[in-house]
Amino acid sequence: GAASVVVGHPLDTIKTRLQAGQGYGNTLSCVLTVYRNESVAGFFKGMSFPLASIAVYSSVVFGVFSNTQRLLSQLRHGDPAREPVLVDVALASTVAGFISVGIGNPVELVKIRLQMQTQPYIEGNVKLKPTVPGFPVYRGPIHCFRTVLQKEGITGIYRGVGAMLLRDVPGYCLYFIPYTFFCAWFTPDGCISPSASSIWLAGGVAGAISWGTATPMDVVKSRLQADGVYLNKYKGTLDCILQSYQNEGLKVFFRGIAVNAVRGFPMSSAMFLGYELSLKAMKRDQTETNP
């Protein structure tokens, strides 16, 4: 989990700026602007909180997914170790998606607020005192979390939860199902378990598919969670969708899709490879047998 955050966070910052910021144009322009104004450190803004919490988040997501699979195999076939069918993988992915939002939404909100807090906000006739755009609002992740909680309550911490559910539930289905399929496809017949290269490639392809298709709701989620640094512009998920469409057209929901897909490959490769190799290391005393 930690490896995926370090690998993916610079592109995540670019993706968030493209989706919720203003005046960047395209991906290259965004990269150059961030580097020019904030140096290399600008690409890693808001990383500490996801990095600190990713262990719990990843453990819960992968734990819920694998244990739900085992439970379904036990109920369906009487053998928890039996290879799950596609329906079981889809159901386990859906459950993991629901559970992940409860943990991940506050982390995502803090990360996005920290990534977006130095952005210029162009809006006519808006009083922004005492907060001035272009200057940091939050001193760090803990201060950000505490400030949002004090000013907006629990609903503020879970701002954008509806959009995140619409992103993550189908997103995890398109994460674990392709991974399971490609992992089996890339593994030669007769092999006991997939090789590291098979895991890396299957995880990367699954991540690119999942993040690419999740982009429209990711845009909505990013805008809702960035909203509130200087003012509240959106009333909710539907209002954000309607305002974004009316002001910028259908193309707005595909902002950052290339960055999302490219970022999804190394992030998911690192995630799945770390997960599978960690499991193998912890099970090294167990002898694998070819069925």
Side-chain angles (χ1 to χ4, degrees):
S4 74
V5 172
V6 174
V7 167
H9 196 82
L11 284 174
D12 183 72
T13 298
I14 298 303
K15 180 264 298 183
T16 303
R17 296 285 180 92
L18 285 170
Q19 290 176 345
Q22 295 190 27
Y24 289 113
N26 55 38
T27 303
L28 180 59
S29 172
C30 183
V31 171
L32 294 175
T33 301
V34 172
Y35 180 74
R36 192 181 303 117
N37 295 338
E38 304 167 57
S39 77
V40 174
F43 297 103
F44 293 92
K45 280 188 174 177
M47 190 178 77
S48 59
F49 198 39
L51 195 61
S53 59
I54 195 69
V56 175
Y57 179 81
S58 298
S59 296
V60 170
V61 170
F62 278 83
V64 166
F65 172 73
S66 59
N67 283 294
T68 303
Q69 275 191 332
R70 290 173 61 83
L71 176 62
L72 292 170
S73 294
Q74 174 69 45
L75 293 174
R76 193 185 296 272
H77 307 291
D79 179 11
R82 182 161 175 168
E83 192 72 21
V85 296
L86 182 61
V87 175
D88 292 350
V89 177
L91 186 55
S93 303
T94 301
V95 174
F98 271 103
I99 298 297
S100 72
V101 172
I103 300 172
N105 198 89
V107 176
E108 290 267 309
L109 182 127
V110 170
K111 178 198 72 176
I112 285 177
R113 290 287 176 94
L114 291 173
Q115 286 173 328
M116 296 300 298
Q117 67 172 337
T118 56
Q119 294 310 287
Y121 198 95
I122 304 169
E123 186 75 26
N125 300 320
V126 174
K127 294 181 179 180
L128 298 172
K129 294 181 179 180
T131 304
V132 180
F135 293 89
V137 181
Y138 311 112
R139 295 192 294 270
I142 302 301
H143 179 250
C144 177
F145 184 87
R146 196 167 57 235
T147 302
V148 174
L149 191 61
Q150 288 172 350
K151 290 185 176 180
E152 304 173 49
I154 294 295
T155 54
I157 291 295
Y158 280 91
R159 185 170 178 80
V161 69
M164 192 168 179
L165 277 169
L166 291 171
R167 184 197 74 172
D168 282 7
V169 172
Y172 273 113
C173 287
L174 292 171
Y175 189 59
F176 286 114
I177 292 174
Y179 172 73
T180 303
F181 171 77
F182 284 114
C183 218
W185 192 32
F186 295 146
T187 303
D189 293 338
C191 288
I192 297 171
S193 59
S195 64
S197 59
S198 296
I199 295 167
W200 178 86
L201 188 55
V205 172
I209 291 170
S210 176
W211 277 106
T213 54
T215 297
M217 289 315 301
D218 191 43
V219 170
V220 176
K221 183 199 72 71
S222 294
R223 290 187 164 209
L224 281 168
Q225 292 183 331
D227 192 37
V229 176
Y230 302 119
L231 76 162
N232 288 330
K233 184 178 179 182
Y234 307 114
K235 297 175 184 176
T237 302
L238 183 59
D239 183 51
C240 181
I241 292 171
L242 292 174
Q243 282 199 50
S244 298
Y245 177 73
Q246 288 168 359
N247 295 333
E248 300 167 71
L250 192 62
K251 65 181 181 180
V252 69
F253 300 109
F254 296 94
R255 274 191 182 179
I257 188 169
V259 177
N260 250 350
V262 170
R263 162 180 161 269
F265 193 100
M267 274 187 67
S268 299
S269 293
M271 178 76 80
F272 277 108
L273 193 59
Y275 171 70
E276 298 285 6
L277 294 180
S278 297
L279 281 182
K280 284 185 180 180
M282 288 185 280
K283 293 177 179 178
R284 62 183 177 274
D285 294 331
Q286 299 178 9
T287 303
E288 291 184 335
T289 56
N290 198 339

